[in-house]
Amino acid sequence: MTQEIAIIGAGMHPWGKWGRKFVEYGVEAAREALADAGINWRDVDFVSGAATMRCGYPGYVAGATFAQALGWQGAEVNTSYAACASGSQALAAARAKILAGQAEVALVIGADTTPKGFLAPAKGERPDDPDWVRFRVGITNPTYFALYARRRMEIYGDTQEDFARVKVKNAAHGFTNPKARYRKQFTMEDVAGSAMVADPLRLMDVCATSDGGAALIVCSLDYAKKIGKANAPRVAAISTVTPTFASAVIEMPDLATDSAVVADAQSFRAALPKKAYEEAGIGPEDVSVAEVYDLSTALELDWMEDLQLCARGDAAKLLRDGATKIGGRIPVNPSGGLACFGEAVPAQAIAQVCELTWQLRGQSGDRQVEGAKVGITANQGLFGHGSSVILKR
Amino acid sequence: MTQEIAIIGAGMHPWGKWGRKFVEYGVEAAREALADAGINWRDVDFVSGAATMRCGYPGYVAGATFAQALGWQGAEVNTSYAACASGSQALAAARAKILAGQAEVALVIGADTTPKGFLAPAKGERPDDPDWVRFRVGITNPTYFALYARRRMEIYGDTQEDFARVKVKNAAHGFTNPKARYRKQFTMEDVAGSAMVADPLRLMDVCATSDGGAALIVCSLDYAKKIGKANAPRVAAISTVTPTFASAVIEMPDLATDSAVVADAQSFRAALPKKAYEEAGIGPEDVSVAEVYDLSTALELDWMEDLQLCARGDAAKLLRDGATKIGGRIPVNPSGGLACFGEAVPAQAIAQVCELTWQLRGQSGDRQVEGAKVGITANQGLFGHGSSVILKR
Amino acid sequence: MSDELKPVLEGFFTTGDKPALLGSRCTKCGTYYFPKLEGFCRNPDCDCSQFESVELSRTGTLWSFTNACYKPPEPYVAAEPFEPYAIAAVELDKEKMVILGQVVAGVGVDQLKAGLPMELVVESIPDLVEPAGKLVWKWKPMTEGGAA
Amino acid sequence: MSDELKPVLEGFFTTGDKPALLGSRCTKCGTYYFPKLEGFCRNPDCDCSQFESVELSRTGTLWSFTNACYKPPEPYVAAEPFEPYAIAAVELDKEKMVILGQVVAGVGVDQLKAGLPMELVVESIPDLVEPAGKLVWKWKPMTEGGAA
Ligand SMILES: [Zn+2]
Ligand SMILES: [Zn+2]
């Protein structure tokens, strides 16, 4: 049985800080995706939403919320939550539904409105809550990314300039992307001049949070053929594996890794694309373009190695050589990445797939990766969530 | 392609008010289900969790939370949220994954810990939140169920005694159920003597909230055969349709129905089993036993008609004739229903399927429905969620 | 009399002699919404996002009813001691929709019956800030004293 | 000196001359956990739910490090004016796990390097209730003043 489905529509509401409701971003993205696919909303028989935990009950039931906003028409519905991987989980749910023959056309959708100001933990003494505990002892979010970044410097000899290079490259990529929030060609000096947040990471090394919405219309290969879109990009693999005990990398919000006294230490990030390559039956050498989760600049380098685009420790060299720029051997984050978007959690993994869809169709204009045939995404959320999606044409 | 999967394991942590963490209930239910299936935790390749919104982040990512508690072993994971239908959505996700050939064995799991005291809405003036608005003007949860109940009295001539009869019947059913929370053979006098909450519903007509956990091990028919369980009960259908505009029944937390000026009014509850019957290729005349969501006693009567177990308005007559008792023509809620359990939101729809699994295996002891061959569940959540699952052997 | 009081929800209803609920009407397909809808029309065959604010019909037919025997949780503000109140679901003929609301003080469930003609009025309910309470819409049976 | 102070988290660590973090050890498979684990062993091949409370190794090797240049949000209580502090991830040899913690006051990132031997100590951090602060575990380089 084929494991492929077609992507016939992609749509995004531009990222930013718009101050509107997440439902509006999602509906606009959905309408763009429906128009792109050239189908009617009533043709959708499965709505797969990625939840947001920030917008009350409508966010918890995002699938139903979007279905109602677009107009109840009896479609089946699903709402997935998997932190940063929520969008991929929603796509995975739609794929399984289609491959099982229970739906022909699905809408995959996620949107978020970020809160104003700092996202503070709930009040009170809550020593049972790992998130409360780590904040109480002074371990903030950037800590984790900074520890990974510093580890690269200590082990591979990466420098802060290397990290800044990631930012400069992604800023150049996203400069002309109409969906991106930050469109400025930052320089090495801009990055070096920004305030240190968590050594070695500066403000411009870490990504912001944004409002945004993204949507995909996916369908069976038969349906795509029927409506004259047999050549649409296809989803060739989705990996949503969980970690394997003993998980060796310290993850937000934990204060400790698993103990590896009775089971070998395992790398979760590396396991994600590994499963995707196996499922797609291809290897890293086949990849034309990658969209990875640059929550920090340094993390993009980790992902390059986890995706096996280079050997461990070689990512900074690839970057310095220009291999990951558009026009290089293996462009990474042609969209501009999180550096230019800022994360809109439930929409972000879907936005990665939107970008690859446009790349594989050759519709990316100034940021087009010439001849892109295979694209891969990677991201990692909290609590053992992560994903890697492979598209091909 | 077959649309069936096998249920080879079922497990439940007893319902109650235990004051422990929801994870513990879920893990105990999962272990019982694994033991029942006779398989190892490492044999599970997909974990499909139903989320709870009451237990912070671990509840939002219930699938991953249970996978970690049982021990990270690299399974793929999903977390579904659909209010009262969350458990069915999680089962639907597992089924699609298995039918798509992407997993052989899945754990479907949900658990909840209810908060102490009243579940109060968040503070402040929030006129944008429909839930806040309806509480501000005095429309509480029992209002909705009472309006449906009173409508039955006005249109069909049902009486408060009929509603009490539902409670008495379900109490008799659940009396010997070791997983039930309330095990007392309530009488008509007990119900009539309980305080009026929302006329015509008394305290004993409406269901409480409980702690509880339920789990299922489901697999492909091939896998079931391979391990010598070819005769295991099968999931023949799962319906998770959304409403069709214009939705005619007023639903929590809304203050108004859809306006039916340009589209015909539609009954959402009736649409749920309709789709399930179509998918299973059977009709209501084939059903041996039903587990329905008796959030109120009167609602059980609505469900009987929505399930087409009798004509509109005839449910109370069936009840009076004893047809819905164990031993009657079409037993409803042999488990004791929500009347004996109290709702544990993400676990409840899974618990319904556990009960049908035991019924179809003939393992229900004192509450066994003789010769049960086809079972159906029905429930409805908030925000356009609901489900109906058909099991057969 | 109560014209000085503020509404419990801004923009949900008009006050005065002939109070009415304020809803939205899609300018393309004509579907009504209460409360007012922003964004997109929920008719799946309509892609409009333009609405006009309209007063909904002030009268309708009683679809069903109940009461609140216990004090509701916050944000409801109850009189002390709490007095149970009846609740009505009223069907509007023109808009083809059912709308909930409290029933006027003094009318209990024993005076109600499905099919009764009902009229929208405003009455005050207690408020945390305003000592005299705030105004809310309520339903009132049109036959004096109800049908009982 | 600081022996009078209360710990910032009860049951997370011992104080005194040779402070240690308090973890759990599965009585069946021997896996360690920090903080203490209740419920079920997270080794997928172990079905045990019995744990013993153990003191974890007091010394380890620096895996990586960073600092907090901005005042963290609540529930962290920062000194005013805020003083940046370094953070260490330390690998324990016996337990084969990495544990986070602040680095002792006065040691900055420029004095740290992966591979440094580190030792667990307790120091006070500000608290909302206790004027003298509360005790927390911190990591301290074992070579005097760090390796720089
Ligand atoms: Zn319209
Ligand atoms: Zn163990």
Side-chain angles (χ1 to χ4, degrees):
Chain A
M1 171 164 52
T2 178
Q3 293 294 309
E4 294 183 358
I5 58 170
I7 301 180
I8 55 172
M12 283 170 65
H13 183 285
W15 264 226
K17 281 273 188 188
W18 309 108
R20 288 160 54 206
K21 291 180 187 168
F22 82 99
V23 186
E24 298 182 38
Y25 309 140
V27 169
E28 288 203 17
R31 291 190 170 185
E32 187 175 304
L34 285 164
D36 185 35
I39 66 165
N40 188 287
W41 158 233
R42 281 201 183 264
D43 297 331
V44 171
D45 41 28
F46 187 59
V47 177
S48 193
T52 162
M53 295 300 147
R54 289 205 261 244
C55 302
Y57 259 97
Y60 303 158
V61 293
T65 299
F66 294 126
Q68 182 181 39
L70 288 159
W72 291 128
Q73 42 88 321
E76 293 203 280
V77 71
N78 165 74
T79 298
S80 294
Y81 187 69
C84 301
S86 299
S88 307
Q89 294 260 6
L91 179 59
R95 180 177 66 147
K97 193 85 180 166
I98 289 166
L99 293 178
Q102 295 172 342
E104 272 201 306
V105 184
L107 166 66
V108 180
I109 180 168
D112 208 359
T113 293
T114 55
K116 284 166 198 143
F118 224 43
L119 193 68
K123 304 270 175 188
E125 291 267 326
R126 294 182 293 107
D128 282 346
D129 175 354
D131 208 41
W132 187 91
V133 166
R134 56 115 178 178
F135 272 110
R136 182 66 191 92
V137 302
I139 310 296
T140 61
N141 292 12
T143 300
Y144 296 86
F145 302 107
L147 289 171
Y148 309 152
R150 173 60 67 174
R151 180 77 182 167
R152 289 195 66 84
M153 295 172 71
E154 299 285 304
I155 302 300
Y156 305 134
D158 287 11
T159 66
Q160 283 178 282
E161 288 67 39
D162 291 327
F163 304 154
R165 260 180 210 107
V166 173
K167 174 73 175 183
V168 172
K169 169 188 71 77
N170 286 345
H173 284 178
F175 181 58
T176 59
N177 188 341
K179 306 296 190 185
R181 173 177 174 189
Y182 303 105
R183 274 174 281 169
K184 191 181 163 202
Q185 294 203 338
F186 291 104
T187 64
M188 296 291 283
E189 292 67 37
D190 290 332
V191 184
S194 70
M196 189 71 83
V197 173
D199 186 281
L201 300 178
R202 297 177 177 278
L203 199 55
M204 286 198 181
D205 286 300
V206 293
C207 99
T209 54
S210 292
D211 299 353
L216 295 165
I217 305 293
V218 295
C219 66
S220 65
L221 300 187
D222 282 349
Y223 185 90
K225 200 170 169 186
K226 197 173 73 185
I227 64 164
K229 293 182 185 283
N231 295 323
R234 296 168 179 203
V235 176
I238 305 173
S239 163
T240 60
V241 294
T242 47
T244 297
F245 183 86
S247 198
V249 172
I250 192 139
E251 275 215 77
M252 202 154 71
D254 294 333
L255 286 173
T257 60
D258 286 342
S259 149
V261 287
V262 293
D264 288 344
Q266 306 278 342
S267 164
F268 176 43
R269 262 200 321 260
L272 288 161
K274 188 163 175 290
K275 165 80 194 307
Y277 286 131
E278 284 168 15
E279 192 171 294
I282 63 170
E285 66 282 2
D286 300 310
V287 173
S288 331
V289 52
E291 282 281 318
V292 307
Y293 234 56
D294 54 323
L295 289 165
S296 82
T297 48
L299 195 65
E300 177 170 310
L301 303 176
D302 284 329
W303 276 123
M304 287 165 59
E305 296 160 8
D306 291 318
L307 287 173
Q308 304 171 44
L309 302 178
C310 61
R312 284 277 160 212
D314 285 355
K317 182 174 183 311
L318 248 69
L319 170 73
R320 286 179 219 127
D321 293 349
T324 57
K325 277 189 72 163
I326 294 168
R329 179 172 71 73
I330 171 67
V332 176
N333 282 331
S335 69
L338 301 190
C340 296
F341 278 78
E343 189 185 16
V345 179
Q348 206 69 43
I350 299 172
Q352 291 184 315
V353 177
C354 287
E355 175 68 14
L356 291 186
T357 300
W358 293 320
Q359 288 287 348
L360 266 57
R361 287 180 184 167
Q363 295 177 332
S364 296
D366 287 341
R367 58 181 207 286
Q368 181 63 45
V369 174
E370 285 309 315
K373 282 195 158 54
V374 173
I376 189 166
T377 76
N379 73 37
Q380 188 193 354
L382 298 163
F383 315 105
H385 290 113
S387 66
S388 181
V389 177
I390 295 178
L391 260 60
K392 68 179 195 190
R393 67 169 168 93
Chain B
M1 171 162 54
T2 177
Q3 292 295 310
E4 294 183 357
I5 59 170
I7 301 181
I8 54 171
M12 285 170 65
H13 183 286
W15 264 226
K17 280 277 188 186
W18 311 107
R20 289 159 56 207
K21 291 180 187 168
F22 82 98
V23 187
E24 299 182 39
Y25 309 139
V27 170
E28 289 203 15
R31 291 191 170 185
E32 187 175 302
L34 287 163
D36 185 36
I39 66 165
N40 189 286
W41 159 232
R42 280 200 184 266
D43 298 331
V44 170
D45 41 28
F46 187 60
V47 177
S48 192
T52 161
M53 295 301 147
R54 290 205 261 245
C55 303
Y57 260 98
Y60 303 160
V61 294
T65 298
F66 294 125
Q68 182 180 39
L70 288 159
W72 291 128
Q73 42 87 324
E76 293 202 280
V77 71
N78 165 74
T79 298
S80 294
Y81 188 68
C84 300
S86 299
S88 309
Q89 294 258 6
L91 178 60
R95 180 177 67 147
K97 193 86 179 165
I98 289 166
L99 293 177
Q102 294 172 344
E104 271 200 307
V105 184
L107 167 66
V108 179
I109 180 168
D112 207 359
T113 293
T114 54
K116 285 168 196 140
F118 224 42
L119 193 69
K123 305 268 174 191
E125 291 266 325
R126 295 183 292 107
D128 282 346
D129 175 354
D131 208 40
W132 187 90
V133 165
R134 57 115 177 177
F135 272 110
R136 183 65 190 93
V137 302
I139 311 296
T140 61
N141 292 12
T143 299
Y144 296 85
F145 301 109
L147 289 171
Y148 308 152
R150 171 61 66 175
R151 180 76 181 167
R152 290 195 66 85
M153 294 172 71
E154 299 285 304
I155 301 301
Y156 304 135
D158 288 10
T159 65
Q160 283 177 284
E161 288 68 40
D162 290 328
F163 304 154
R165 259 179 212 109
V166 173
K167 175 72 175 183
V168 171
K169 168 187 72 77
N170 286 345
H173 284 179
F175 181 58
T176 60
N177 189 341
K179 305 297 189 185
R181 173 177 175 191
Y182 302 105
R183 275 175 280 167
K184 190 181 162 202
Q185 294 202 338
F186 291 104
T187 64
M188 296 292 283
E189 291 68 37
D190 290 333
V191 184
S194 70
M196 189 71 82
V197 173
D199 186 283
L201 299 179
R202 298 177 176 277
L203 198 56
M204 287 198 179
D205 287 300
V206 295
C207 100
T209 55
S210 292
D211 299 354
L216 295 165
I217 305 293
V218 294
C219 67
S220 67
L221 300 188
D222 282 349
Y223 185 90
K225 200 171 169 185
K226 197 173 74 185
I227 65 164
K229 293 182 185 286
N231 295 323
R234 296 169 178 201
V235 176
I238 305 174
S239 163
T240 60
V241 294
T242 48
T244 296
F245 183 86
S247 199
V249 172
I250 191 138
E251 275 215 76
M252 205 154 71
D254 294 333
L255 286 173
T257 60
D258 286 344
S259 148
V261 289
V262 293
D264 289 342
Q266 306 277 343
S267 165
F268 176 41
R269 262 200 323 260
L272 288 160
K274 188 163 176 293
K275 166 81 193 308
Y277 286 130
E278 284 169 16
E279 193 171 293
I282 62 169
E285 65 283 2
D286 301 310
V287 172
S288 329
V289 51
E291 283 280 317
V292 306
Y293 235 55
D294 52 323
L295 290 166
S296 81
T297 48
L299 195 65
E300 178 172 307
L301 303 176
D302 284 330
W303 277 123
M304 287 166 58
E305 295 160 10
D306 291 319
L307 286 173
Q308 304 169 43
L309 302 179
C310 61
R312 284 276 162 215
D314 286 354
K317 183 173 183 310
L318 248 68
L319 170 74
R320 286 180 220 128
D321 294 348
T324 58
K325 278 190 71 163
I326 294 170
R329 179 171 72 73
I330 171 67
V332 175
N333 283 330
S335 70
L338 301 191
C340 296
F341 277 78
E343 190 185 15
V345 179
Q348 206 68 45
I350 299 172
Q352 291 185 315
V353 176
C354 287
E355 175 67 15
L356 292 186
T357 300
W358 293 321
Q359 289 287 348
L360 266 58
R361 287 179 182 167
Q363 296 176 332
S364 296
D366 286 341
R367 56 182 207 286
Q368 180 64 46
V369 174
E370 286 311 316
K373 282 196 160 54
V374 173
I376 189 166
T377 75
N379 72 37
Q380 188 193 355
L382 298 164
F383 314 106
H385 290 113
S387 66
S388 180
V389 177
I390 294 177
L391 260 60
K392 68 178 195 189
R393 68 170 168 91
Chain C
M1 32 157 279
S2 59
D3 290 328
E4 308 296 313
L5 301 181
K6 293 178 191 160
V8 69
L9 289 157
E10 205 64 60
F12 274 58
F13 56 97
T14 63
T15 55
D17 272 359
K18 302 273 183 192
L21 294 171
L22 290 170
S24 302
R25 184 173 176 275
C26 174
T27 55
K28 189 165 173 188
C29 76
T31 295
Y32 293 91
Y33 295 94
F34 178 78
K36 285 181 186 171
L37 184 68
E38 284 176 10
F40 310 92
C41 183
R42 293 182 174 175
N43 171 358
D45 298 314
C46 180
D47 61 359
C48 184
S49 53
Q50 296 292 107
F51 302 95
E52 54 183 346
S53 180
V54 290
E55 294 193 358
L56 302 182
S57 301
R58 296 191 54 252
T59 60
T61 308
L62 188 59
W63 183 82
S64 189
F65 54 93
T66 179
N67 62 9
C69 299
Y70 287 91
K71 197 173 88 167
E74 291 177 41
Y76 192 74
V77 185
E80 293 290 353
F82 173 68
E83 290 169 40
Y85 52 86
I87 295 167
V90 174
E91 202 162 9
L92 306 187
D93 194 45
K94 189 177 91 178
E95 294 84 358
K96 292 192 181 168
M97 65 199 297
V98 171
I99 296 187
L100 301 189
Q102 290 191 23
V103 175
V104 289
V107 175
V109 289
D110 50 346
Q111 290 159 275
L112 298 173
K113 190 167 175 36
L116 269 189
M118 303 288 284
E119 179 180 12
L120 196 90
V121 299
V122 292
E123 265 189 9
S124 70
I125 54 171
D127 186 72
L128 283 179
V129 177
E130 302 288 337
K134 281 185 177 167
L135 293 178
V136 74
W137 76 90
K138 292 194 181 181
W139 293 109
K140 182 182 179 182
M142 289 176 78
T143 42
E144 203 52 51
Chain D
M1 35 155 273
S2 59
D3 290 328
E4 307 297 311
L5 301 183
K6 293 177 192 161
V8 69
L9 288 158
E10 205 64 58
F12 275 58
F13 56 98
T14 63
T15 54
D17 271 359
K18 302 274 185 192
L21 295 171
L22 290 170
S24 302
R25 185 174 176 274
C26 174
T27 56
K28 189 166 174 186
C29 77
T31 295
Y32 294 91
Y33 295 93
F34 178 79
K36 285 182 186 170
L37 185 67
E38 283 176 10
F40 310 92
C41 183
R42 291 179 174 178
N43 172 358
D45 297 314
C46 181
D47 61 358
C48 185
S49 53
Q50 296 292 108
F51 301 96
E52 55 183 347
S53 180
V54 290
E55 292 193 359
L56 302 182
S57 301
R58 296 190 55 253
T59 60
T61 308
L62 190 58
W63 183 81
S64 189
F65 54 94
T66 180
N67 62 10
C69 299
Y70 287 91
K71 194 172 90 168
E74 291 178 37
Y76 192 74
V77 184
E80 293 290 352
F82 173 69
E83 291 169 39
Y85 52 86
I87 294 167
V90 174
E91 202 162 9
L92 306 187
D93 194 43
K94 189 176 91 178
E95 293 84 357
K96 293 192 180 169
M97 64 199 298
V98 171
I99 297 188
L100 302 189
Q102 290 191 22
V103 175
V104 289
V107 175
V109 290
D110 50 345
Q111 292 158 273
L112 298 172
K113 192 168 173 37
L116 269 189
M118 304 288 282
E119 179 181 12
L120 196 90
V121 299
V122 293
E123 263 189 9
S124 71
I125 55 171
D127 185 74
L128 284 179
V129 176
E130 304 287 337
K134 281 184 177 169
L135 293 178
V136 74
W137 76 92
K138 292 194 181 181
W139 293 109
K140 182 182 179 182
M142 289 176 77
T143 43
E144 203 51 53

